[in-house]
Structure formats: structure tokens, C-alpha cells
Amino acid sequence: MREVALAWGAATDTGQRAENQDSFLARPPVFAVADGMGGHAAGRQASVVAVERLARTADAVTDGTSLTVEGLRQEIRGADDDIRRAASTLGDARGMGTTVAGVALVEQPEHGACWAVFHVGDSRVYLLGEEGLVQLSTDHSVVQELVDMGMISAAAAAVHPQRHLVTRALGVGPQAEADVLLLPVEPGRRFLVCSDGLTGELEDGEIARLLADAEDPQAAAGTLVRTAVDRGASDNVTAVVVEVRELPSAE
Ligand code: MG
């Protein structure tokens, strides 16, 4: 098997909002973005709680615990529980919830290491590979459902007044399951995990160009977020970029 190494970077900005309710994690083997919702401090706290849960998951792997897809699913369910518990301690936790999206290196008994791409809500995961930019996650949102039913176009969805309404979130509504996709670990690929504040400002073609042109993942994350902010960013904007690099062979 080829030896690979990971490189990563992250950036976030409050945009025009009063508070940044997005949180992110870039701690191998877990890379994630959470976009909180709910009034007062609730939205911010929900995304922090979700990311803290995944940070502990990453730390456990560093300490020698192997992470499987089922284990990852359980951690996401655990984050859902953690948010509900945190909500019960807040005076005003109405609508307290968060999206979560990301990639994690997991060990599968038959296949060894692979990427688990996961999401709940409308934060997204993209992959930039030889075939260009591919959106790996499908939004759990009202407008995505309308697009799937053929009732509106993707272009109409992008400006729809209800485009921010999610149909699945952690901590609010019925307990949410993450959608998970498994991919092989291949060098030369860049993943982008981002909140809807980024995709609300930049079109996919532009994201592809900025992601491909950046020298390294930190430059990519910084440029993507800065470009969205320069456009006026009506929402919080967060990007985490992860790249798989091939290590030079020992010979
Ligand atoms: Mg948002």
C-alpha cells in the first residue's frame, strides 16, 4: 500500500451576522463543520457541543481506539444526545440544534482504512479529484426536497426564501441519522467541508477553481472564506480543507 499523509487547513468568519454559530474541527482523523441554529446562545452552543464530541472521538483514535463507520454513527447520535442534554440546562433553548458534516478516516474490518463522508443537514462535503469538483453530500433541506421532486430548479433553490430550512439536524426534531458514504483513501484528492454560508455566496465552479488553485489546504480554506466575506456573506462562513498526499517512497 502507498504511504500517504494528510494536510489540512480551516477558516471561519462571522460574516454580517452578530455572532458566529459555526464551529469546526480539524483534528485527524476527523474533520468537520457544524452550523448551529437557535436563538440567543443556543445555536453557538449546539455547534460547539457537536464538535467537542467529535474532538473526543478523534482523541480516542490518537490514544489507540480504532474508529469504524458504526462507531462514527454512534458518536453522531451521541452528539445529538449531548445537545438535547445541554438544551435542558438553558433557559431559552428553543430550536437549539446544529448541522454537522465532515470526513473521517475509519477502519473497516475487510477493507482497512477508508474515508467516511458524513452529514446531517445542509453543511456540505465536496471532493476535488481528477474528475473535477463533486458534491458528495445531498442537503437535508426543504429546497433540496423540492428539487428532488422536480418542483423547482437548482438555480431557483439557490435563491428560494426557505433555502435555509433544514429537514434534519442534531439536537432538534426526531433523532437524526447521518448519511455516510465510504471512499478509498487516494493521494491527490482534496476534500472541502463547509457551512451553507460559503455555498450561499459562491457557485460550484468558483469553489472548484479556488480549491484547485490554492497552494495548500490552509490557503484554500482562507481564500474560500475571504472570497465569500468579500461578497457580503449574509451568514457565517466556514471551510475545512483536507488533502491526501503521497509520501515519497523510501527507495
Ligand atoms: Mg449557516
Side-chain angles (χ1 to χ4, degrees):
M1 193 187 143
R2 288 179 294 189
E3 284 285 298
V4 297
L6 298 182
W8 60 89
T12 188
D13 196 282
T14 307
Q16 288 180 28
R17 292 277 172 92
E19 179 188 45
N20 195 343
Q21 299 193 331
D22 287 358
S23 296
F24 68 83
L25 177 72
R27 191 178 300 184
V30 185
F31 302 88
V33 168
D35 179 348
M37 60 199 78
H40 300 279
R44 169 86 194 140
Q45 195 173 345
S47 72
V48 167
V49 167
V51 159
E52 282 177 349
R53 178 80 183 210
L54 292 174
R56 290 196 297 276
T57 307
D59 289 343
V61 175
T62 305
D63 292 340
T65 308
S66 84
L67 182 64
T68 61
V69 173
E70 190 42 45
L72 178 66
R73 286 186 181 281
Q74 279 177 17
E75 291 300 317
I76 294 168
R77 279 184 221 119
D80 187 297
D81 295 338
D82 290 348
I83 295 164
R84 288 171 207 266
R85 213 170 298 122
S88 70
T89 68
L90 281 186
D92 181 6
R94 273 172 299 171
M96 177 175 174
T98 188
T99 70
V100 70
V103 293
L105 279 175
V106 296
E107 289 291 331
Q108 285 307 91
E110 300 282 301
H111 306 282
C114 49
W115 286 110
V117 176
F118 59 93
H119 81 290
V120 174
D122 66 353
S123 297
R124 290 182 181 170
V125 182
Y126 288 89
L127 173 65
L128 182 72
E130 282 166 13
E131 56 294 312
L133 187 75
V134 180
Q135 185 181 329
L136 298 176
S137 57
T138 303
D139 295 350
H140 300 134
S141 69
V142 169
V143 291
Q144 182 64 48
E145 289 185 356
L146 294 175
V147 170
D148 291 345
M149 287 188 286
M151 294 176 73
I152 61 171
S153 67
V159 294
H160 195 282
Q162 292 192 312
R163 64 188 177 280
H164 298 298
L165 281 185
V166 295
T167 51
R168 230 190 266 189
L170 298 183
V172 66
Q175 182 159 53
E177 276 291 311
D179 284 351
V180 180
L181 175 72
L182 288 179
L183 291 176
V185 179
E186 288 176 1
R189 290 177 153 192
R190 263 180 192 176
F191 289 99
L192 166 66
V193 186
C194 62
S195 62
D196 68 334
L198 184 80
T199 49
E201 299 296 339
L202 307 184
E203 292 185 354
D204 283 5
E206 206 166 18
I207 290 173
R209 185 174 53 75
L210 294 172
L211 195 56
D213 289 353
E215 194 145 317
D216 57 52
Q218 183 57 52
T223 304
L224 285 163
V225 170
R226 198 166 50 250
T227 306
V229 169
D230 289 347
R231 295 281 162 78
S234 57
D235 193 6
N236 308 145
V237 188
T238 304
V240 173
V241 177
V242 191
E243 181 177 291
V244 182
R245 291 177 177 166
E246 191 157 13
L247 290 178
S249 75
E251 287 102 334

